Amino acid sequence: MVSIRDRTREAVRAELAKAVLEVFLKRGYAAVTVDDAAREAGISRATFFRYFGSKEDVVIASVESAKIDYLAALRDLPEGRRLSGWHLVRAAIEPVVLTATSEPERLRARLRLIASEPALKRRLLERRAANTEALVAALDEHLGDTVSARVLAAAGLAAVDVAWEDWAPREEADFRAIVDNIFERLEAAAKR
């Protein structure tokens, strides 16, 4: 069980990450020092390091604060209907699609920031393991086949990455349409 103190700390950390991330987005990640970021976010250097080990940790914390409950998305599916693995993955990532469509400008800016810094891209890929495991657990509950769940989760999250890369640089792009198109292609390829 997570204590109130731990929940409070995580809430403060998420709020600080959001504030510092705004500084990075406004001025550029490489151009901002830890001291600059802390000052502009209205905190001390000591407070910065109480919650984050580095500038990279701020960006990763901003991504982690939006945890996805894949299993909840799958629970909303109609009972008794047999869906393919790709349909299950697509249903599980609906919360990701909803986030992208509700905050497109902010999300695009964050994705561009991450794409511009190799260290951030690396750190985000390291964090992917936790997302993959959460999606595997959700899919395995529906499929009853851990190996298939692992393959579908890894491939499905890679497909979402392709969608992010296609969507982020194009202001007029529709994330939902891109994701749906990718998963329709995967479903069609599986039937060949």
Side-chain angles (χ1 to χ4, degrees), residues 9-147:
R9 178 176 170 73
E10 284 307 308
V12 170
R13 187 172 193 262
E15 193 62 33
L16 291 175
K18 183 178 177 182
V20 174
L21 182 66
E22 288 302 318
V23 176
F24 293 156
L25 293 174
K26 182 171 55 175
R27 294 199 30 219
Y29 181 82
V32 177
T33 67
V34 167
D35 290 335
D36 295 337
R39 184 176 47 257
E40 290 185 41
I43 60 173
S44 69
R45 177 182 171 84
T47 299
F48 180 96
F49 283 113
R50 187 175 306 124
Y51 289 93
F52 309 105
S54 66
K55 290 180 3 179
E56 292 171 7
D57 287 346
V58 171
V59 178
I60 300 307
S62 74
V63 171
E64 289 175 338
S65 69
K67 292 195 187 322
I68 307 295
D69 186 352
Y70 299 111
L71 190 54
L74 292 177
R75 277 190 208 114
D76 292 340
L77 292 174
E79 289 198 32
R81 188 169 164 217
R82 181 108 169 109
L83 298 174
S84 71
W86 289 121
H87 278 100
L88 288 172
V89 174
R90 175 58 189 89
I93 63 162
E94 180 60 16
V96 175
V97 175
L98 290 173
T99 298
T101 55
S102 69
E103 304 177 346
E105 297 83 18
R106 182 170 168 70
L107 195 51
R108 274 191 177 97
R110 188 170 63 191
L111 289 169
R112 289 176 187 144
L113 174 71
I114 292 167
S116 73
E117 296 292 330
L120 291 175
K121 286 174 74 171
R122 238 183 348 269
R123 286 287 302 277
L124 201 57
L125 285 174
E126 290 169 7
R127 293 299 307 147
R128 165 68 76 68
N131 277 340
T132 302
E133 289 308 311
L135 183 53
V136 167
L139 291 170
D140 192 23
E141 188 169 305
H142 280 267
L143 296 171
D145 177 354
T146 304
V147 172

